[in-house]
Amino acid sequence: MSILETRHLVWPEEAATQAFAARLAALPALRDATIELHGGLGAGKTSLVRHLLRALGVAGRIKSPSYAVLESYELADWGGQGEVSHFDFYRFSDPREWEDAGFREIFARPGLKLCEWPEKAAGMLPEPDLRLHLDIRTEDEARLVRLEACTPRGQALLQGSLDA
């Protein structure tokens, strides 16, 4: 588990989360990335995913995969390689559930993988390109964000998402 680069951000309001998601969505390296989203309940993981999916062109209802574990989306703009897999492992009680669910095949295919609660599938997931840790600052409810690039693709995503 190597970390090539780390950055810290503060998102003072929802618009900052949305702007970050829009910058991230514009990066070509996102098409085949794996991104882990860490943080407690209400930290903003699903909100960030919704903003990212909207920025990628997903229309209609975007559901949290809390009960289904996986929601998939096809993106026409990505030339046939537009699959986005949004995982929520919160309900896993054993990391082996990941294997039993057949997720290894999904991670072997091209496409964007967004993983909430990845610690619940510890030891089963491949190393992510980018890891986001979200926390809430109690005095003003701003989001404190730590971004960790774990691969060269993750570094490109980290650096590109910070460009204004």
Side-chain angles (χ1 to χ4, degrees):
M1 179 163 99
S2 63
I3 297 173
L4 303 177
E5 187 173 350
T6 301
R7 298 285 179 93
H8 296 269
L9 303 175
V10 175
W11 296 336
E13 72 286 313
E14 193 72 17
T17 305
Q18 185 175 11
F20 174 85
R23 288 190 304 273
L24 191 59
L27 301 173
L30 189 66
R31 291 180 185 213
D32 197 29
T34 298
I35 298 176
E36 288 184 355
L37 301 155
H38 296 263
L41 290 170
K45 299 178 300 294
T46 302
S47 180
L48 172 61
V49 169
R50 282 190 177 117
H51 286 302
L52 182 59
L53 291 171
R54 287 280 180 241
L56 290 169
V58 174
R61 186 165 179 246
I62 297 174
K63 298 187 301 183
S64 171
S66 292
Y67 293 98
V69 181
L70 170 64
E71 292 291 335
S72 296
Y73 304 89
E74 284 292 325
L75 303 178
D77 292 350
W78 279 4
Q81 296 209 355
E83 185 174 31
V84 177
S85 300
H86 178 200
F87 298 90
D88 185 331
F89 299 117
Y90 181 73
R91 299 202 182 282
F92 274 26
S93 58
D94 185 325
R96 288 175 295 192
E97 291 178 69
W98 183 85
E99 183 75 43
D100 295 343
F103 293 147
R104 184 176 305 281
E105 293 79 25
I106 294 172
F107 277 84
R109 295 192 306 240
L112 173 60
K113 288 86 174 174
L114 303 167
C115 306
E116 294 188 47
W117 299 96
E119 59 276 10
K120 298 279 192 158
M124 303 304 286
L125 297 173
E127 182 169 47
D129 296 298
L130 191 61
R131 201 177 282 128
L132 281 79
H133 298 267
L134 302 165
D135 200 6
I136 302 171
R137 188 165 59 195
T138 51
E139 64 267 18
D140 60 3
E141 296 192 11
R143 297 309 189 255
L144 305 175
V145 185
R146 184 175 79 236
L147 297 102
E148 299 172 343
C150 301
T151 67
R153 174 184 288 133
Q155 280 186 298
L157 291 170
L158 187 152
Q159 292 166 2
S161 68
L162 300 178
D163 293 340

